Amino acid sequence: MTVSTTYTVSGMTCEHCVASVTEELSELAGVQQVDVQLASGAVTVTSDRELGTDEVHAAVTEAGYQLVG
Ligand SMILES: [Cu+2]
């Protein structure tokens, strides 16, 4: 199965932020692709399983940003 979920992350201001969020989310088990739109804060994560909001929240927090939706 393939699941794509779009989250909203606040606090990202540049490509370095995008790279940090992408790196942390990519480390979650089963994640295949992470697409970040810097302007809107939309982060789409594609994975081979359903991700828990808690683990996504933890990864975004670890990167230094806020999961707001
Ligand atoms: Cu930045």
Side-chain angles (χ1 to χ4, degrees):
M1 71 188 262
T2 301
V3 184
S4 280
T5 307
T6 301
Y7 304 92
T8 304
V9 173
S10 69
M12 297 184 294
T13 57
C14 70
E15 288 301 323
H16 177 80
C17 304
V18 171
S20 297
V21 169
T22 300
E23 183 180 335
E24 287 297 334
L25 288 171
S26 295
E27 288 176 3
L28 295 178
V31 171
Q32 299 163 327
Q33 190 174 346
V34 179
D35 290 305
V36 179
Q37 292 188 290
L38 179 57
S40 64
V43 177
T44 301
V45 182
T46 303
S47 54
D48 64 9
R49 66 185 178 91
E50 294 272 3
L51 300 176
T53 303
D54 53 346
E55 60 186 329
V56 173
H57 182 272
V60 170
T61 300
E62 180 68 25
Y65 307 95
Q66 298 84 43
L67 184 69
V68 295

